Amino acid sequence: MTREWAKLPFYDPEGALRNLAENRSIGFIPGGRHSRWTGLRTNMSKELRQWLDATVFTFGIRQALGVNAHLAFHEDEDFDFLVSWVDGEWHNFCPVQLKELVPDYLNPTADLNQVIAKLARYQRQTDTNAAIKLNRAGQFNPNVLEVPDLPFKELWLFGSSSPDNTEWFLYRALNAPRLFEFRIPA
């Protein structure tokens, strides 16, 4: 797989986010809770919504881990996109399965712990990371998480932490849990 993945086009998440910020005519609101974002809830725009979420996530990984992470959109049976970075002589690839805690207006009873519990249903161990976008207003509290044994290498949670969606958080939940904060480039 690694040879196949190395041939994919990888994109700079920071450049993509700066480009979107300069091109406000498309109504890009990375937090996703604004009514102008609801147009991305159609099946036709699901791919664009996932691209935006993957881009924000990868930018967050770049900021949190201090690596020059890039992303490629390549779906497989157990992942939605790839994150890649070079560490010394090693070219690293990280497959990511993207999930979402949907906004209140779509499902007011949806619960983060339910989304996490569904991840435990995957049968086999994998090197894939799971990333859940928290698409809800309010504060994130990692102390209320109920994380069962998961077949994923890592579980990441991310979401906007400011009303204007410029400040974000990324939480590593499995291996050495830690909360990271970052700003979307303007």
Side-chain angles (χ1 to χ4, degrees), residues 22-42:
E22 292 169 7
N23 217 341
R24 299 214 186 266
S25 62
I26 67 165
F28 173 65
I29 301 162
R33 295 184 297 269
H34 191 279
S35 60
R36 286 174 58 194
W37 188 258
T38 59
L40 292 180
R41 287 287 163 192
T42 64

